């Protein structure tokens, strides 16, 4: 079992690492030169950021085909699933998803060698996952719950929820 926000952040780190490798490969093969049309690059970046913001805001709504919030609210309590919550700090212990990294490399490196700007396509999915992580974190904080994925190994997309553990002070004592 894995916290959903940690899963999303691991995907972001993996996509950014694959982007860095793809851009380095392109630089080594074709040379490290600035883009020929910097104004066009700025327009592309603005369009990508705007589309990611709009997409994330749509997922934060309750609109039927876009909403992620509806899935969060349908999550099954962990007590009903019969699974034990992990005690490890997953994001600290595993900040990276090797499978996703390799998959992205297999996609990005050949495509970016053919067309150099294609290496930046991975940034689109990294930003999408980052927006999803922000959405999950906001929902968890507002509801005082933690979202988990993978309580059934064959269906890792199904979500479950648990109560947020009480916060502790620097000395380990519970707050008054």
């Amino acid at each position: 079992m894995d916290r959903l926000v940690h899963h999303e952040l691991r995907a972001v780190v993996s996509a950014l690492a694959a982007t860095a490798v793809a851009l380095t490969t392109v630089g080594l093969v074709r040379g490290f030169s600035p883009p020929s049309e910097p104004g066009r690059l700025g327009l592309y970046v603005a369009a990508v950021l705007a589309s990611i913001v709009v997409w994330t805001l749509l997922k934060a709504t309750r609109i039927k085909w876009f909403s992620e919030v509806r899935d969060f609210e349908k999550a099954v309590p962990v007590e009903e699933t019969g699974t034990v919550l992990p005690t490890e700090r997953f994001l600290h212990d595993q900040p990276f998803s090797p499978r996703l990294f390799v998959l992205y490399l297999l996609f990005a490196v050949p495509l970016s060698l053919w067309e150099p700007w294609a290496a930046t396509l991975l940034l689109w999915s990294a930003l999408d996952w980052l927006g999803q992580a922000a959405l999950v974190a906001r929902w968890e904080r507002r509801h005082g719950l933690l979202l988990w994925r993978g309580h059934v190994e064959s269906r890792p997309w199904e979500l479950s929820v648990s109560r947020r553990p009480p916060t502790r002070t620097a000395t380990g004592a519970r707050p008054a």
Side-chain angles (χ1 to χ4, degrees), residues 12-112:
V12 169
V13 170
S14 301
L16 290 177
T19 301
V21 170
L23 287 173
T24 303
T25 304
V26 168
L28 291 173
V29 171
R30 293 189 173 215
F32 294 98
S33 62
S36 59
E37 299 178 36
R40 199 167 182 199
L41 179 66
L43 185 61
Y44 171 72
V45 169
V48 167
L49 288 175
S51 66
I52 292 297
V53 167
V54 168
W55 183 246
T56 302
L57 290 174
L58 279 173
K59 290 192 291 187
T61 66
R62 289 186 175 17
I63 298 173
K64 187 175 184 177
W65 294 286
F66 300 106
S67 177
E68 292 285 335
V69 174
R70 295 172 112 197
D71 295 335
F72 300 163
E73 291 170 349
K74 288 187 226 173
V76 180
V78 171
E79 297 81 27
E80 292 179 17
T81 64
T83 57
V84 178
L85 292 177
T87 57
E88 298 93 19
R89 298 181 338 187
F90 276 112
L91 194 59
H92 177 69
D93 297 336
Q94 297 175 334
F96 185 73
S97 174
R99 279 190 244 163
L100 187 62
F101 174 72
V102 169
L103 180 70
Y104 265 29
L105 274 184
L106 292 175
F107 165 76
V109 171
L111 191 61
S112 63

